Amino acid sequence: MTMVTRIGRWANKKLKLFFYAMGFFFHVLKEAVFFFRRKQVAFKVLVMQIYFTGVKALSIISFIALAMGVIIIVQGITLLPQFGQGKLIYVILTTIITRELGPILTAFIVIARSGTAIATEIGHMVVTHQIEAYVAVGINPISYLVVPRFLGVIISLLVLTLYFNIIGLFASFMITQVIRPMQFLEYFQNLLAALKLSDVITSLVKSIVFGVIISTVATYNAFKVKVASTEVPQVVIKAVGQGFILCILANVFITLIYYISAK
């Protein structure tokens, strides 16, 4: 077998997997469009997914947002005045926390918690033939199992990102009171003056895109489990790796679009 033949077969295999994944994604999108029009038990799955992904993650999101707010304000207050750029701290805070760290760090936490949980749960359902049972009684597994998790992760990520931004900016104010006390109104007026509407929109767009990626990758990989429970950890690791890579690539892509459109 020549090298060209091997490359051709490898490319052909990857291309088939890509189109299969895209087909799965568009099937989920199609079912998601009609989700709220149907009175179905899957609504309970959606509520539970929002509770697990959103509410249960608040403590760790709070901790990381507080830490990021403290680190950025301490570094900024220490370094920027040396170059006569003390006022830039507000721009740096809104840019780094709102537009960059908020969405991507929240996505990483959701991948680690919810992405792994979704892939594990559905993977075990495949092994124990529960998916076949759903199909046998006429229940669409995509509509009942995937769509509620797809919507739940997106909604949760959107809210968690906003929460991260608020907590991060508030933490920066609390530390400022220790290092260089300032009136609450003055501090947040300066922050609001530095904050652009495009920063908020970019942050929300990123959180929605990351939610789509995390839920789709987790459920897609979970359905690739075939017969053995030993396959479940493998697909979970694969889902986590792909989730991280795709979220980072999407982050770079959206940031580039932001800077190009801002020119």
Side-chain angles (χ1 to χ4, degrees):
M1 185 183 296
T2 65
M3 181 66 74
V4 175
T5 306
R6 288 180 181 175
I7 294 173
R9 288 186 177 179
W10 177 84
N12 186 43
K13 183 180 176 183
K14 293 294 179 187
L15 204 58
K16 283 182 180 176
L17 287 174
F18 173 76
F19 282 116
Y20 183 77
M22 292 307 294
F24 176 84
F25 174 63
F26 285 116
H27 190 177
V28 174
L29 273 185
K30 188 184 79 174
E31 293 295 326
V33 168
F34 301 106
F35 180 78
F36 291 103
R37 293 183 182 178
R38 300 168 181 160
K39 293 180 180 178
Q40 51 183 322
V41 290
F43 187 75
K44 185 180 177 183
V45 182
L46 170 64
V47 173
M48 292 305 295
Q49 188 63 54
I50 292 173
Y51 176 73
F52 176 75
T53 303
V55 179
K56 299 282 274 184
L58 284 177
S59 56
I60 189 168
I61 292 286
S62 302
F63 176 76
I64 294 176
L66 284 167
M68 289 299 108
V70 170
I71 290 169
I72 294 168
I73 194 69
V74 168
Q75 295 288 355
I77 285 180
T78 307
L79 295 174
L80 290 174
Q82 297 177 21
F83 304 97
Q85 300 293 334
K87 284 286 183 184
L88 276 179
I89 187 62
Y90 301 106
V91 177
I92 291 173
L93 275 170
T94 54
T95 301
I96 293 181
I97 291 181
T98 305
R99 210 167 61 210
E100 298 300 334
L101 287 184
I104 196 69
L105 287 181
T106 306
F108 287 169
I109 293 165
V110 171
I111 290 172
R113 292 185 77 258
S114 303
T116 53
I118 291 170
T120 303
E121 184 185 8
I122 295 181
H124 279 298
M125 293 176 80
V126 174
V127 174
T128 54
H129 304 290
Q130 292 181 56
I131 304 297
E132 293 174 11
Y134 282 128
V135 175
V137 296
I139 296 175
N140 183 347
I142 299 295
S143 177
Y144 179 70
L145 296 175
V146 177
V147 172
R149 288 166 175 80
F150 177 78
L151 296 173
V153 170
I154 292 172
I155 294 168
S156 300
L157 203 50
L158 192 64
V159 177
L160 285 175
T161 301
L162 283 171
Y163 180 76
F164 185 105
N165 297 341
I166 293 168
I167 295 296
L169 294 176
F170 186 72
S172 67
F173 168 73
M174 296 301 291
I175 292 302
T176 305
Q177 297 312 298
V178 178
I179 302 173
R180 191 175 300 166
M182 184 182 290
Q183 290 293 323
F184 178 83
L185 282 179
E186 181 187 354
Y187 188 81
F188 278 92
Q189 278 174 351
N190 289 333
L191 273 180
L192 288 174
L195 184 65
K196 300 175 186 173
L197 180 61
S198 56
D199 292 333
V200 179
I201 293 173
T202 304
S203 178
L204 297 181
V205 168
K206 282 183 177 180
S207 63
I208 292 171
V209 172
F210 295 160
V212 169
I213 290 172
I214 294 166
S215 55
T216 305
V217 167
T219 51
Y220 171 75
N221 279 287
F223 279 111
K224 290 169 79 175
V225 174
K226 294 177 181 172
V227 290
S229 59
T230 52
E231 295 174 62
V232 176
Q234 296 173 20
V235 299
V236 170
I237 293 169
K238 204 170 184 179
V240 169
Q242 289 177 354
F244 277 121
I245 291 170
L246 290 175
C247 281
I248 291 169
L249 288 175
N251 190 43
V252 171
F253 183 69
I254 295 170
T255 301
L256 284 175
I257 290 177
Y258 172 86
Y259 281 107
I260 291 170
S261 61
K263 285 183 179 178

